[in-house]
Amino acid sequence: QKEVEQNSGPLSVPEGAIASLNCTYSDRGSQSFFWYRQYSGKSPELIMFIYSNGDKEDGRFTAQLNKASQYVSLLIRDSQPSDSATYLCAVKSEGGGTSYGKLTFGQGTILTVHP
Amino acid sequence: NAGVTQTPKFQVLKTGQSMTLQCAQDMNHNSMYWYRQDPGMGLRLIYYSASEGTTDKGEVPNGYNVSRLNKREFSLRLESAAPSQTSVYFCASERASGKLANEQFFGPGTRLTVL
């Protein structure tokens, strides 16, 4: 079982709609969760991070965290064609041993916003 | 500030050849990372350096070696390249590893093909 799983894509939404991206993780002790956006041929760039249960909003983006259910999601409101990219969920391990403090990435979800 | 820089941007090797990927950051970050990204597999950690003078293995270290030359520079070496090492390689830096929800900043990547 992968440690970080993202909903399989690709995901296609019309312009102006809400895009919902989901991620589950297996390490119950994880405390920090990150969403990165990666345009084709480019490097990942951070959109948001969250470490408290509940919602965190930043402009059109909302990250949601539910530690009891071990999932984190990213909502993109009023989606634009410029949001078309691969979205990577990453979880920072808080477990002991060699994994401490390192990010584990999901496989990514490709989002396409069509006009 | 240039952020994180990587050289080269592209490289083609023959099986058995060696090469070193260079990475430098100018943000005075303590921690640096090397990832590889393959289609459908997200980013996988090869090696990391929590601070100057220390290096540790990540998820997929076989076939690679690293050197933390100083606080700014972290290089990745392939001693005898294999076709399975064809991938996109990203270097990243972080203010400090650990529990803090620190952002990792990524370089532009190196696209490596091993024939």
Side-chain angles (χ1 to χ4, degrees), chain A residues 38 50 90:
Chain A
Q38 185 176 25
I50 185 169

Side-chain angles (χ1 to χ4, degrees), chain B residues 17-34:
Chain B
Q17 287 185 315
S18 63
M19 78 162 295
T20 299
L21 283 66
Q22 306 286 354
C23 174
Q25 52 91 10
D26 62 2
M27 295 175 282
N28 200 35
H29 285 171
N30 289 309
S31 302
M32 297 185 73
Y33 304 82
W34 276 106

Side-chain angles (χ1 to χ4, degrees), chain A residues 63-74:
Chain A
Q64 298 174 316
L65 175 61
N66 184 323
K67 290 183 180 179
S69 300
Q70 294 177 247
Y71 89 83
V72 58
S73 63
L74 179 70

Side-chain angles (χ1 to χ4, degrees), chain B residues 4-5 7-8 15 26-27 32 36 39 44 49 56 61 67 72 75-76 83-84 87 98 100-101 109-111:
Chain B
V4 181
T5 57
T7 55
T15 297
D26 62 2
M27 295 175 282
M32 297 185 73
R36 62 178 288 174
R44 292 184 293 169
S49 172
D56 280 292
S67 295
R72 290 188 62 248
S75 63
L76 178 72
S84 61
S87 188
L100 298 175
T110 295
R111 293 185 176 274

Side-chain angles (χ1 to χ4, degrees), chain B residues 5-82:
Chain B
T5 57
Q6 292 182 237
T7 55
K9 286 189 168 54
F10 300 93
Q11 184 71 49
V12 178
L13 293 177
K14 295 180 180 178
T15 297
Q17 287 185 315
S18 63
M19 78 162 295
T20 299
L21 283 66
Q22 306 286 354
C23 174
Q25 52 91 10
D26 62 2
M27 295 175 282
N28 200 35
H29 285 171
N30 289 309
S31 302
M32 297 185 73
Y33 304 82
W34 276 106
Y35 294 93
R36 62 178 288 174
Q37 186 173 36
D38 302 295
M41 298 190 73
L43 288 148
R44 292 184 293 169
L45 183 64
I46 305 172
Y47 269 94
Y48 72 103
S49 172
S51 61
E52 186 179 356
T54 69
T55 60
D56 280 292
K57 295 178 181 179
E59 181 186 352
V60 288
N62 291 345
Y64 305 95
N65 283 301
V66 290
S67 295
R68 184 72 183 267
L69 304 169
N70 47 55
K71 193 171 185 179
R72 290 188 62 248
E73 299 172 288
F74 188 38
S75 63
L76 178 72
R77 183 161 178 83
L78 287 70
E79 290 291 351
S80 179

Side-chain angles (χ1 to χ4, degrees), chain A residues 2 31-32 34 36 38 40-46 49 51 86 88 92-94 98 100-108, chain B residues 33 35 37 40-45 48 57-59 90 94 96-109 111:
Chain A
K2 278 184 65 69
Q31 296 291 327
S32 305
F34 303 78
Y36 282 82
Q38 185 176 25
S40 180
K42 302 295 186 182
S43 56
E45 55 179 345
L46 184 70
F49 69 85
Y51 46 83
T86 297
L88 299 164
K92 180 161 281 194
S93 172
E94 305 296 335
T98 58
Y100 180 76
K102 296 195 290 292
L103 282 182
T104 300
F105 285 83
Q107 74 273 31
Chain B
Y33 304 82
Y35 294 93
Q37 186 173 36
M41 298 190 73
L43 288 148
R44 292 184 293 169
L45 183 64
Y48 72 103
K57 295 178 181 179
E59 181 186 352
F90 288 102
E94 183 180 11
S97 62
K99 283 190 175 183
L100 298 175
N102 292 320
E103 176 180 359
Q104 286 192 14
F105 293 83
F106 286 82
R111 293 185 176 274

